[in-house]
Structure formats: C-alpha cells, structure tokens
Amino acid sequence: MSKKGSLKTTKRTRLYKQLGVALITLIGLYSLFHHSSKNVSLSTYTTIGSPDYLEPLKYAPSSTALPTDLPVDHNKYTRLLPFKYNGKKEKATFVTLARNSDLYGLINSIKAVEDRFNSKFQYDWVFLNDEEFSDEFKKTVTALISGETKFGLIPNEHWSYPSWIDKKRAADTRKTMKEKNIIYGDSESYRHMCRYESGFFWRHPLLDEYEYYWRVEPDIKMYCDIDYDVFKFMKDNKKKYGFTITIHEFRDTIETLWETTREFLSLYPQHIHKNNMLDFVSDDNGKTYNLCHFWSNFEIASLKFLRSQAYRDYFDYLDHAGGFFYERWGDAPVHSIAASLFLDRDEIHHFEGMGYYHGPYHQCPINDQIRLHNKCACNPNDDFTWKDYSCTLKYYDINNITKPDGWKDHTG
Ligand SMILES: Nc1nc2c(ncn2[C@@H]2O[C@H](COP(=O)(O)OP(=O)(O)OP(=O)(O)O)[C@@H](O)[C@H]2O)c(=O)[nH]1
Ligand SMILES: *[C@@H]1O[C@H](CO)[C@@H](O)[C@H](O)[C@H]1NC(C)=O
Ligand SMILES: [Mg+2]
C-alpha cells in the first residue's frame, strides 16, 4: 500500500464521521420538534376551572404593557427594579388599618401579597391609624410595596364614643365579657376598631379616588400565585364583595345584632335587594341569624357598596343602637349581613383559587388543578372551606355552585 492509498482511506473515514454527526443532529432536531409539538401537552392542566383559575389567560399583563428597557435602581448597586406595569388598571387600592406596633407582623403580609400578586400590577396601598405612623413604619412598608403608599390619620370622631353612648354601660359590658372569657370582650380599642371597619374606613379621604379595595391584616399568608388582575375581574363580572374564608360568629358578641337588623329592615324595606342572599345568614327565612359571615380580615370589595345609601343607613342604625359598645359587634357580621341583604347574590364571589391564612384558619384549594396551577404552597388537608364550622358549603349549596371533587373528604 502506498502512502496515497492510506491518505484516501483517512479522508473517507472523516467524511463518514461528518455524515454521521449530521445524521445524529437531524435526528436530534426532529425528535425535539416532535416533542414540543406533541408530547409536551398543556391541555392536561389547563382544563377550564373556576374564574380564579381561568382568569390568568384573560387578565394577565400583556407583554406589550412591559417596557423593554429595565430601569436600574437608583440605589448604589445593581439590583433591578421590577417591571413597571403600563397596562390599564382599575381604581383600586389595598387598605390596612394598623398600629405602629403591628409593623413587623404586617410586613409578612405585605411581602406575600406583593410576591403573589401586586408586584405584577403595582396597585396602591393605603394605611390608616388612629395615631400618626412612625417614620420607621412608613419607610419599611414603602420599601416593600410596588405601588404608591399613602398614610392616613383617623379623625378622632371616628375613633371615640359617640355622644349617645353611655360609657358606664359600655365599661360594665367589658367587665362582664371579661368574666365570661369572651375573646377581646374586655378590649375598648378592639371595639373602636370594629366600629371603624364597619362605618368609617371607606369614608377616609385617602380612599375617595378608589372604586375597589382589598383589605390586608398583619400576619396573614397568601399561599398561591394570583396571575390575573383581581380588580378587573371584579369589575368585568360585576362583583361587589369577594371573600375567601367564612365562619360562624360567637353568639355572645352579637346577642341583639339580628333583632336590631330586623327593626332596621322593617323601617327601610326599600334597601332589601330582590335577589338577596338572606338564606346565607338565616336558616329560617329571617327569623334568626345563623351566625354565618365572611371573615372580613380578607375582603376584596366595592367601595360603592359601602358608600351606598343602604349601607350608610344600616350602619347609622346599628351605631345608634349601641351594640358596638354594649356588646362587641364585629365588622365581619356587619359587612356580611349587609352584603347578603343589600346586594344581588350574584355580586358576591368566593375566591376559591386564593390560598389564604389568618390565624387559625387556612384556605388551601383542595382541587389539585387549581392548587398546582397556582403554585400554592399549602397543605390541602388544612383547608377550612368544607369544614362544619365554615359556612362555605352553605354558600355553595344555596347558590347551586358545583363543589370541587373530593370536598366530602375535607369535612372533618
Ligand atoms: N390603628 C389601630 N389599628 C388596630 C387597632 N386594633 C386593631 N387594629 C388593626 O385592625 C385589624 C384587626 O385587628 P386584629 O387585632 O387583627 O383583630 P382580629 O383579626 O379579630 O384578631 P387577631 O386574631 O388578633 O388577628 C388589624 O389590621 C389590626 O392591625 C388599634 O387599636 N389601632
Ligand atoms: C338552586 O336550585 C334550586 C332547585 O333547582 C332552585 O329552586 C333555586 O332557586 C336555585 N337557586 C339559585 C340561587 O339559583
Ligand atoms: Mg387579624
């Protein structure tokens, strides 16, 4: 064999090698495309569910709303600011009533709400307090919030005894309630808080420019991603009151609330909505209160509802009856009874896809599709929704809403 012969063989081997590589590449590319178009199917997990689950498609921020140039933080280093949302927004705000001492429990709530929802839409946040907020409070929450922060002082008339209240009688009530070990029964500030949340927060001038609010309290958790604009959802679907958890009230705190409500209704029958949801709050067509209410530490609702003549008349009537001080009426039953009587039942919405916690109860979607799609970090066995002490089963039944599969396994 000559040198030439062996050279030819080497060239041919190289050619075969190159052909081999090309072939493998082609097979690789083919299988890649084949995979992405056929095997990786999204449909298994995108079946239509509740609005919470569906809305990401309809209400997601579109990519055109995002700027292409990322602004660099004005701080010294290179942390990037989040995307600025330039899409259309509703007139909506978060609202938190808090003391300065609530700050470090509150920041957990704020961070969760921002991470799971608000960093995508950047809604404002209004803080209200019966004392001036400290600089520490203001700078700390502002650093966490993607929207604008606003701080309001509550006028003294909204956080004190009205002229017609007998303070001695109020003090006696606190004493007996303490003896009976009723939760917050001896607290004066808790009563001002409940009265304020019932009748006044929505009258604060800082809320005037808004149409919807989302109430947030200290030490709550948001377990799931919320990838759609919940306020737009409220508006598009004509919802006025949205809730997560429902529960029964302690009877001792609201002994005469229902009889006072009945007196009010007989004086103002025009405020009762034709398609109301009386059957949520009463099991005997209005004779008695069944103690069911939306747990108002979470609320996404319309300010128009609270500003309505019906709600104003109702609050004034209750306030004059004195039960905020002579008993311990909570803002939760007050809001809930009002929503159930003055709204169209179709205006009330359960946010079943929002994982939520306020001690000691959890909402953790038991529906795997919803929970996994929304990246919920919670244990469905902790879910309170279908338990006896909750009223959500009643809400689903009276409104003929389909319950999630397996709800019966979560009642105990
Ligand atoms: N400014 C102010 N805010 C208050 C006062 N009392 C309660 N709050 C706020 O009102 C809301 C409800 O009070 P909470 O103490 O959480 O009442 P709760 O949810 O029934 O009870 P917890 O189980 O303690 O959470 C929270 O946002 C508190 O920060 C008060 O005296 N002044
Ligand atoms: C639910 O269904 C029952 C039975 O069909 C009906 O009588 C009732 O009016 C329905 N309620 C609502 C709120 O649609
Ligand atoms: Mg609370």
Side-chain angles (χ1 to χ4, degrees):
M1 277 285 179
S2 67
K3 266 192 173 176
K4 263 190 178 177
S6 67
L7 209 72
K8 253 189 198 161
T9 333
T10 324
K11 264 189 187 164
R12 209 176 287 151
T13 321
R14 232 182 258 150
L15 189 70
Y16 288 147
K17 268 191 189 158
Q18 279 166 357
L19 273 172
V21 168
L23 199 67
I24 288 164
T25 312
L26 272 173
I27 291 169
L29 278 174
Y30 172 77
S31 63
L32 198 75
F33 279 110
H34 192 69
H35 255 276
S36 62
S37 63
K38 281 211 175 139
N39 294 6
V40 184
S41 161
L42 286 172
S43 66
T44 328
Y45 294 103
T46 51
T47 319
I48 302 312
S50 72
D52 291 343
Y53 175 61
L54 175 66
E55 298 320 337
L57 310 171
K58 216 162 112 198
Y59 296 100
S62 80
S63 56
T64 55
L66 305 171
T68 47
D69 54 330
L70 273 172
V72 174
D73 195 347
H74 49 74
N75 287 332
K76 292 183 212 85
Y77 304 108
T78 52
R79 181 167 67 93
L80 297 177
L81 288 171
F83 285 108
K84 173 117 182 63
Y85 177 72
N86 288 328
K88 188 181 175 297
K89 287 206 282 195
E90 299 308 319
K91 290 181 179 138
T93 184
F94 289 89
V95 63
T96 295
L97 172 69
R99 294 157 288 215
N100 286 311
S101 59
D102 290 322
L103 174 61
Y104 292 106
L106 184 57
I107 55 178
N108 299 312
S109 307
I110 294 174
K111 185 65 174 128
V113 169
E114 283 290 329
D115 287 351
R116 292 300 200 166
F117 171 76
N118 201 42
S119 58
K120 299 159 209 168
F121 295 100
Q122 297 145 28
Y123 280 100
D124 296 345
W125 206 308
V126 172
F127 293 88
L128 301 171
N129 190 352
D130 56 311
E131 290 177 6
E132 284 287 356
F133 280 112
S134 65
D135 285 340
E136 181 189 6
F137 187 102
K138 291 193 267 196
K139 77 174 181 209
T140 307
V141 300
T142 302
L144 292 170
I145 293 170
S146 56
E148 242 189 272
T149 47
K150 302 177 185 186
F151 302 90
L153 180 63
I154 296 168
N156 190 51
E157 316 85 89
H158 293 173
W159 197 280
S160 54
Y161 291 96
S163 58
W164 58 87
I165 293 295
D166 174 351
K167 289 192 201 170
K168 165 85 173 56
R169 186 177 159 196
D172 290 346
T173 300
R174 292 198 300 278
K175 203 163 151 267
T176 27
M177 282 205 174
K178 187 188 170 77
E179 283 156 12
K180 286 167 90 180
N181 271 322
I182 295 166
I183 184 167
Y184 297 114
D186 62 337
S187 170
E188 206 169 9
S189 67
Y190 194 85
R191 285 183 172 75
H192 288 302
M193 182 277 285
C194 289
R195 177 171 176 261
Y196 186 77
E197 292 285 27
S198 300
F200 300 105
F201 85 89
W202 44 273
R203 298 187 222 225
H204 197 285
L206 283 179
L207 288 165
D208 283 354
E209 65 182 279
Y210 302 107
E211 200 181 330
Y212 297 96
Y213 69 95
W214 176 339
R215 172 167 162 185
V216 176
E217 285 202 0
D219 294 303
I220 61 130
K221 293 178 190 170
M222 299 301 300
Y223 286 132
C224 309
D225 276 356
I226 305 162
D227 288 333
Y228 64 98
D229 183 344
V230 294
F231 298 115
K232 183 164 167 50
F233 167 80
M234 295 289 285
K235 185 155 187 114
D236 284 4
N237 296 283
K238 300 190 165 58
K239 300 296 181 190
K240 293 275 179 61
Y241 193 92
F243 66 94
T244 51
I245 291 171
T246 65
I247 191 166
H248 289 81
E249 185 57 293
F250 300 109
R251 188 178 295 283
D252 288 344
T253 65
I254 46 116
E255 268 172 52
T256 66
L257 176 60
W258 191 253
E259 100 196 27
T260 311
T261 299
R262 280 172 53 115
E263 282 163 26
F264 168 79
L265 296 175
S266 66
L267 291 168
Y268 296 86
Q270 70 275 22
H271 289 328
I272 306 173
H273 198 286
K274 290 192 302 293
N275 193 33
N276 64 65
M277 203 167 70
L278 174 66
D279 45 354
F280 180 66
V281 289
S282 178
D283 299 337
D284 50 17
N285 199 30
K287 238 174 94 200
T288 60
Y289 180 35
N290 61 17
L291 310 178
C292 281
H293 63 277
F294 308 116
W295 217 21
S296 62
N297 48 65
F298 172 104
E299 284 181 331
I300 298 176
S302 158
L303 285 158
K304 279 186 190 161
F305 157 54
L306 297 176
R307 291 169 185 146
S308 68
Q309 199 57 50
Y311 189 83
R312 283 169 193 269
D313 289 344
Y314 183 50
F315 173 76
D316 286 348
Y317 196 84
L318 296 182
D319 201 25
H320 279 84
F324 291 107
F325 298 106
Y326 303 145
E327 295 177 15
R328 207 220 64 196
W329 293 350
D331 53 284
V334 172
H335 288 189
S336 303
I337 291 171
S340 300
L341 299 177
F342 310 148
L343 295 179
D344 185 320
R345 64 200 303 143
D346 296 331
E347 293 174 322
I348 300 176
H349 178 67
H350 178 217
F351 283 104
E352 68 166 317
M354 285 193 192
Y356 178 71
Y357 171 80
H358 176 293
Y361 299 112
H362 309 257
Q363 169 162 289
C364 181
I366 61 164
N367 176 322
D368 280 358
Q369 264 184 4
I370 294 178
R371 197 179 63 262
L372 302 180
H373 179 91
N374 291 347
K375 303 191 174 79
C376 304
C378 57
N379 182 345
N381 295 322
D382 292 337
D383 182 47
F384 182 67
T385 312
W386 310 105
K387 308 259 194 255
D388 279 356
Y389 198 44
S390 161
C391 294
T392 305
L393 176 60
K394 177 190 295 294
Y395 172 84
Y396 273 60
D397 283 344
I398 61 173
N399 291 304
N400 300 327
I401 302 171
T402 310
K403 297 184 280 290
D405 289 342
W407 69 271
K408 280 188 183 157
D409 303 331
H410 290 84
T411 55

